[in-house]
Amino acid sequence: MKNMTLKNIAEAVGGTLYMEAAASDAPEALGVTIDSRKVQKGFVFIAAPGARVDGHSFIDSAFEKGALGVVCEKAPENPKGAYILVKDSFQALKDMAEFYLSGLDTRVVGITGSVGKTGTKEFTASVLAQGYRVQKTEGNFNNEVGLPLTVLGLSQDCEAAVLEMGISDFGEMHRLSKIAKPDICVITNIGQCHLEKLGTRDGILKAKTEIFDFMKENGRVCLNGDDDRLASVTQVRGGEPLFFGLDGSRCAVYADGYENRGLDGSSVAIHINTPQLKSDFRAEIPIPGAHMVYNALAAAAVGALLGLDAEQIRRGIEAVQSVGGRSNIIHGERFTVIDDCYNANPVSVKAALDLLNLSDLAVSPRRVAVLGDMFELGENERQLHAQVGSYAAGLEIQVLICVGDLCRSMYEAALSAKNEGMSVYYFEDKESALDGFEGILNEKDTVLVKASHGMHFEEVVAWLEK
């Protein structure tokens, strides 16, 4: 890892380095981890206190595995190697990531928004991979622990890093931006996530736009021009945002000519009118759902800003692959499963229901939605669940299964608004729902699974796959 000697790390994190004089010429670290199980020879282990376990208990184990050094808040009683004493291990993690990234010649794309962050990240990484050596956020490593770990995992030859940045409160994005210092900032939309702490959509806009706080000089901003809150952003550090969307009168990167291919995706005409690239082309979007068009457009905008041509952008869009828990289509022996269980809010659930509504009834006779609680929606949480229930009742869905305390409001709203061809069921928790599936589901059903991550609906997906 470039420049990541123990001396440089200690200086970057404001810690005190304790090491033998003979080891003063220690080499650069080969990796950084906060998980003692992942320590390898030459790694730096960050010992941090946790809710269940204290990383300081594993310092000896880290040294036995060949750790180059340890960052810790409490000095080891009998240190078996070099260590850096700090006041806050998690802050040290962030400081280390900021220092490491500053030494790399890597262009950083920071992606945030209420809905579509992961999809946009996947599309953007796929597009940029047509012209750059690219690394991206893996899994849910998008918060104040995950982002720095992602940064510290970048290789020295990484030319473009696509970083997903997720928050739930004010100030978090400010701190993430300080680490990432994006060259390009992408905001997908301003929805209804985390209303419990952010209050209103205007509060969400304020929190998300903290991503601009540490954007590099001459950095660029890509915003969804169809989002009313983002459309109000006219200047960022003296520069105009690059808008993407379906409104060609406002957006420099826009799409029309949408052709729905059901669960096989869609086809659109993409138009790019930027100083870097002017082009019109048709692209096949392999992941289903009309909302995927926005992800593709955001990626096209970033690709244009970073010098890719139209053919590279088209290839990147068409090469993207879905990830588990994110509109991932699973063709099982008994069911076709739309695995969208990673997270949920009213906007994303409605989009997922629209996707389910596209499934071909000639292939799968019934459309089934298994929906669970949506968390962090604030004081109107039950009303928002009820709105989703009413929305589902207006679609051509044959079965709606609502799971969780908050979903009782969804169930009641759907029950009162449903048509005769729709059956609605309610279960208090995931376990009772799993017990009841055999009496509800039929062979060849297409089943959507969606809920907030805390509902652990990946277990529902696993049951359906079996």
Side-chain angles (χ1 to χ4, degrees):
M1 299 179 69
K2 186 177 180 181
N3 299 325
M4 294 291 279
T5 64
L6 292 178
K7 284 187 176 181
N8 287 347
I9 292 172
E11 183 176 348
V13 303
T16 303
L17 173 61
Y18 295 88
M19 63 190 300
E20 296 178 3
S24 60
D25 59 346
E28 294 172 334
L30 300 180
V32 177
T33 182
I34 61 171
D35 186 342
S36 63
R37 296 168 297 181
K38 297 180 180 180
V39 173
Q40 299 179 35
K41 186 176 181 179
F43 273 42
V44 171
F45 171 56
I46 299 180
R52 296 183 178 179
V53 296
D54 188 343
H56 291 81
S57 303
F58 303 99
I59 290 178
D60 286 349
S61 172
F63 282 127
E64 290 170 2
K65 292 180 178 180
L68 176 67
V70 168
V71 175
C72 51
E73 297 176 10
K74 298 176 288 188
E77 291 185 6
N78 298 297
K80 298 179 180 179
Y83 65 95
I84 299 170
L85 198 60
V86 298
K87 292 182 179 179
D88 186 326
S89 293
F90 284 115
Q91 183 60 48
L93 171 67
K94 289 182 276 191
D95 293 340
M96 286 173 66
E98 181 182 351
F99 169 72
Y100 177 60
L101 187 55
S102 69
L104 300 182
D105 186 18
T106 302
R107 298 185 181 185
V108 176
V109 180
I111 297 175
T112 192
S114 296
V115 181
K117 293 186 293 295
T118 298
T120 300
K121 173 203 68 179
E122 294 297 325
F123 273 89
T124 302
S126 184
V127 165
L128 294 185
Q130 307 306 309
Y132 294 91
R133 288 188 293 273
V134 176
Q135 288 180 255
K136 63 184 179 181
T137 301
E138 299 294 344
N140 61 344
F141 275 35
N142 63 6
N143 59 17
E144 290 190 70
V145 175
L147 178 74
L149 288 173
T150 297
V151 167
L152 290 166
L154 298 176
S155 62
Q156 293 181 192
D157 64 351
C158 175
E159 296 175 325
V162 183
L163 304 179
E164 182 178 332
M165 302 166 71
I167 63 166
S168 60
D169 207 346
F170 295 107
E172 290 181 56
M173 187 62 72
H174 176 87
R175 296 187 290 273
L176 294 179
S177 180
K178 186 175 186 293
I179 297 168
K181 295 183 174 59
D183 295 273
I184 298 176
C185 298
V186 180
I187 305 182
T188 61
N189 47 53
I190 302 298
Q192 296 171 314
C193 294
H194 309 302
L195 289 173
E196 186 174 19
K197 293 183 178 179
L198 301 178
T200 64
R201 288 184 68 220
D202 288 329
I204 295 170
L205 175 66
K206 180 180 178 181
K208 297 291 186 183
T209 53
E210 289 176 3
I211 194 174
F212 306 149
D213 291 355
F214 291 93
M215 183 175 67
K216 287 191 181 75
E217 187 176 358
N218 300 320
R220 294 300 307 271
V221 172
C222 298
L223 304 177
N224 182 344
D226 295 343
D227 184 284
D228 59 335
R229 295 304 195 273
L230 292 176
S232 69
V233 179
T234 58
Q235 294 281 320
V236 179
R237 294 191 178 183
E240 294 183 0
L242 173 61
F243 288 109
F244 61 88
L246 304 182
D247 184 353
S249 65
R250 164 180 289 277
C251 302
V253 179
Y254 69 97
D256 56 21
Y258 176 78
E259 294 181 5
N260 173 33
R261 306 285 171 81
L263 295 184
D264 292 324
S266 62
S267 174
V268 294
I270 294 178
H271 309 277
I272 301 176
N273 184 22
T274 68
Q276 297 83 5
L277 178 63
K278 298 184 186 299
S279 182
D280 306 284
F281 58 92
R282 195 157 193 92
E284 303 295 321
I285 300 176
I287 303 177
H291 54 294
M292 291 296 166
V293 175
Y294 284 99
N295 299 344
L297 290 173
V302 174
L305 289 177
L306 290 183
L308 299 187
D309 61 35
E311 178 59 19
Q312 289 172 312
I313 293 171
R314 183 194 64 78
R315 284 203 311 265
I317 290 172
E318 295 186 349
V320 73
Q321 296 181 349
S322 60
V323 295
R326 309 280 190 165
S327 299
N328 183 32
I329 309 300
I330 302 170
H331 296 284
E333 292 184 8
R334 296 182 62 192
F335 312 110
T336 296
V337 181
I338 303 175
D339 172 15
D340 205 352
C341 69
Y342 177 75
N343 219 336
N345 59 66
V347 173
S348 68
V349 173
K350 290 176 182 178
L353 288 167
D354 289 339
L355 172 57
L356 175 63
N357 208 45
L358 296 176
S359 62
D360 189 349
L361 291 178
V363 176
S364 178
R366 296 200 313 171
R367 300 168 179 145
V368 180
V370 181
L371 304 181
D373 288 350
M374 302 176 288
F375 298 141
E376 299 184 20
L377 296 182
E379 60 183 13
N380 294 322
E381 58 186 4
R382 293 198 176 275
Q383 178 184 348
L384 292 169
H385 280 78
Q387 289 175 6
V388 170
S390 298
Y391 186 83
L395 301 176
E396 295 181 19
I397 294 172
Q398 285 69 47
V399 180
L400 173 63
I401 301 174
C402 305
V403 184
D405 176 59
L406 295 173
C407 270
R408 180 175 287 278
S409 298
M410 183 188 298
Y411 164 75
E412 292 172 351
L415 197 62
S416 63
K418 75 179 184 70
N419 56 53
E420 292 183 0
M422 185 181 196
S423 299
V424 184
Y425 300 90
Y426 174 74
F427 295 96
E428 292 184 352
D429 52 43
K430 176 179 76 254
E431 290 71 26
S432 57
L434 291 173
D435 290 339
F437 279 173
E438 286 291 357
I440 299 174
L441 301 180
N442 294 339
E443 298 280 345
K444 297 185 178 181
D445 282 347
T446 293
V447 186
L448 166 68
V449 182
K450 191 160 185 65
S452 281
H453 189 59
M455 292 292 288
H456 299 290
F457 267 28
E458 64 274 10
E459 297 174 24
V460 175
V461 173
W463 188 96
L464 293 168
E465 284 189 274
K466 293 178 181 179

